[in-house]
Amino acid sequence: MSMKIQLHGASGKDLQVSEVAFGREFNEGLVHQVVNAYMAAGRSGTKAQKTRSDVRGGGIKPWRQKGTGRARAGTIRSPIWVGGGRAFAARPRNFEQKVNRKMYRAAMRSLLSELIRQERLLIVEALELAEPKTRLMVAKLKELGVSSGLIVTEAYDEKVYLAARNLPHVEMLEATAVDPVSLVRYEHVVMTVAALRRIEEKLV
């Protein structure tokens, strides 16, 4: 089945898209899970500290057990000593959460469908600039009523990238690199028809 969505920049013209990919109900729980999993996968998890057994030195008892008037001590690398190991040392860990392909695609369908319902997904025929100038990109986005947005093109466009990279609340991605976090991060998503078709192929 197909549905119609508005094509911006072409008055009175609609675009036929798959209802399977862009006409789904919003599943908040699934989207939340997938977004969290995607962000967790980006964590390095390489934090590491040394326990008393990892710190160099401390192999000999500092002084005898009795008779010195000082508290008993077995090693200078005890956690209560300066230069000692940590009592509960951090270890490298993996923050990855399992999300299978079916869940990921369902979350993407849900997100894109909700963006269309909220009129935050703006489809344009093409996004072409005469020169890679920031002012031209600002003017183009102003025409669409976008101040904070994600620009999605079918392939890497150097002019669009150079024109958008200095704008603080604008990011450009290729269609194959779009992810759930990038879709929820910005107020609007400006997408070319070619990019939409590329995404549609993966979600149908």
Side-chain angles (χ1 to χ4, degrees):
M1 295 179 65
S2 63
M3 56 182 282
K4 292 181 179 180
I5 60 175
Q6 184 182 358
L7 185 62
H8 290 263
S11 57
K13 188 177 180 182
D14 290 330
L15 189 67
Q16 292 280 351
V17 296
S18 171
E19 191 173 346
V20 173
F22 302 105
R24 312 296 289 188
E25 291 293 326
F26 184 61
N27 188 335
E28 185 178 356
L30 176 62
V31 170
H32 182 267
Q33 182 180 351
V34 171
V35 168
N36 275 353
Y38 193 92
M39 295 178 69
R43 297 180 67 177
S44 62
T46 55
K47 181 180 181 182
Q49 297 168 326
K50 293 182 179 181
T51 63
R52 58 190 292 170
S53 64
D54 299 320
V55 180
R56 181 181 176 86
I60 189 172
K61 189 173 173 67
W63 50 75
R64 58 196 175 93
Q65 183 83 346
K66 293 179 177 289
T68 65
R70 288 178 290 187
R72 55 193 174 187
T75 173
I76 62 172
R77 296 306 177 219
S78 168
I80 62 174
W81 282 53
V82 174
R86 291 295 297 266
F88 302 101
R91 291 300 188 198
R93 56 181 294 194
N94 182 14
F95 292 96
E96 185 177 346
Q97 301 174 22
K98 179 166 178 58
V99 173
N100 60 39
R101 186 179 300 178
K102 185 176 181 180
M103 292 171 61
Y104 183 85
R105 288 181 176 176
M108 289 292 287
R109 294 188 193 104
S110 182
L111 266 174
L112 290 167
S113 301
E114 186 66 12
L115 287 174
I116 291 174
R117 277 190 290 271
Q118 295 179 0
E119 297 182 352
R120 293 169 54 198
L121 180 61
L122 309 178
I123 309 300
V124 295
E125 190 68 49
L127 200 62
E128 298 175 348
L129 299 176
E131 295 178 279
K133 300 291 186 181
T134 302
R135 58 181 171 79
L136 297 179
M137 177 59 71
V138 170
K140 183 76 73 173
L141 294 176
K142 191 174 182 180
E143 289 177 13
L144 297 169
V146 175
S147 56
S148 167
L150 172 69
I151 299 171
V152 184
T153 57
E154 182 187 17
Y156 174 74
D157 188 319
E158 186 175 14
K159 288 182 179 180
V160 174
Y161 170 74
L162 293 175
R165 67 178 178 175
N166 286 334
L167 296 175
H169 304 295
V170 176
E171 182 183 359
M172 175 192 161
L173 287 176
E174 297 175 41
T176 53
V178 173
D179 58 79
V181 175
S182 64
L183 291 177
V184 300
R185 181 176 291 160
Y186 295 96
E187 185 179 351
H188 291 95
V189 177
V190 179
M191 190 179 297
T192 64
V193 174
L196 181 76
R197 294 305 184 195
R198 178 67 68 88
I199 293 174
E200 187 177 26
E201 288 176 7
K202 298 175 69 175
L203 298 181
V204 173

